[in-house]
Amino acid sequence: MHPRPQKAVRLLQEAFGIATDGVIGPKTRAALAVTDQSKLYSKVLAARLRNLDRLITNDPEQSVSAAGRMNRMAEFVEGTV
């Protein structure tokens, strides 16, 4: 699996509060089935923001691309992605 989809799955799993293995298995599917989609949207956004914070905190050189990442998250909030 390409690393990007695994990262997206990990962020989804983080939003659910389940083990983050990057694989959509039975636990991820079960959590998805019972989660309110609008709340999930907010939780995934929060997970993305936390991830960006960790990324920049752990590697300050990543701050160079922070503006672009924040713009993509703004598009996510606006529903244009």
Side-chain angles (χ1 to χ4, degrees):
M1 180 184 279
H2 190 276
R4 286 253 194 229
Q6 285 181 335
K7 183 63 179 174
V9 173
R10 284 190 186 104
L11 288 174
L12 181 65
Q13 291 167 329
E14 181 180 332
F16 288 140
I18 62 176
T20 56
D21 62 5
V23 177
I24 298 177
K27 290 181 182 179
T28 304
R29 290 180 194 280
L32 186 56
V34 299
T35 301
D36 176 276
Q37 299 301 298
S38 62
K39 288 181 183 178
L40 175 61
Y41 191 80
S42 295
K43 287 184 175 190
V44 169
L45 178 59
R48 289 180 70 180
L49 289 167
R50 280 190 216 81
N51 181 65
L52 180 58
D53 177 56
R54 282 191 299 263
L55 183 68
I56 293 171
T57 298
N58 293 333
D59 183 2
E61 290 182 17
Q62 292 294 323
S63 64
V64 173
S65 59
R69 289 183 172 136
M70 295 300 283
N71 283 332
R72 284 191 294 282
M73 280 189 264
E75 291 171 353
F76 187 74
V77 170
E78 294 169 338
T80 58
V81 202

